[in-house]
Amino acid sequence: MRAARSHSGSRRDPAPAPKPVPAVATFNITDAPETWLSMPQVCAMFGGVSRMWIHRRQLDAGFPRGIHLGGGKLVFFKLSEVQAWALASQHPAPVCNAPGSTS
């Protein structure tokens, strides 16, 4: 028969030392204050145009490309780029105020 082990004197391996955390560059949100607009917000800025209107302007008129997130389903645009395009292309002023704009 095997002798029962006593729990009072059992040895355990010491816990492994924690791995060092790699240094990460710090980013302060005030360093780059940028307002991002969703596709519906951009469409509303130009009077409720369709997504296809935006895509056509990207192909033929240099409308800024958006950042695609969520597997490409979500698209966000920089407000400053959209406003710059609207001024440069002589497009009529946006119908509604975008978040972060001063008018």
Side-chain angles (χ1 to χ4, degrees):
M1 276 193 156
R2 287 174 96 174
R5 285 183 129 179
S6 169
H7 292 292
S8 61
S10 65
R11 289 185 174 184
R12 291 188 179 183
D13 292 332
K19 294 180 181 178
V21 177
V24 178
T26 59
F27 177 75
N28 187 349
I29 194 67
T30 59
D31 291 342
E34 186 66 58
T35 301
W36 292 88
L37 303 174
S38 66
M39 178 65 89
Q41 289 173 314
V42 172
C43 292
M45 279 181 69
F46 294 99
V49 297
S50 66
R51 295 172 63 97
M52 183 55 70
W53 187 91
I54 299 293
H55 292 300
R56 287 181 182 141
R57 299 301 80 76
Q58 288 174 331
L59 294 174
D60 64 6
F63 194 86
R65 296 281 179 193
I67 303 296
H68 294 268
L69 302 174
K73 293 184 178 185
L74 299 174
V75 183
F76 293 92
F77 299 87
K78 286 184 179 182
L79 174 61
S80 59
E81 291 178 359
V82 173
Q83 289 174 331
W85 177 84
L87 290 172
S89 68
Q90 301 297 324
H91 193 275
V95 174
C96 64
N97 291 331
S101 66
T102 56
S103 43

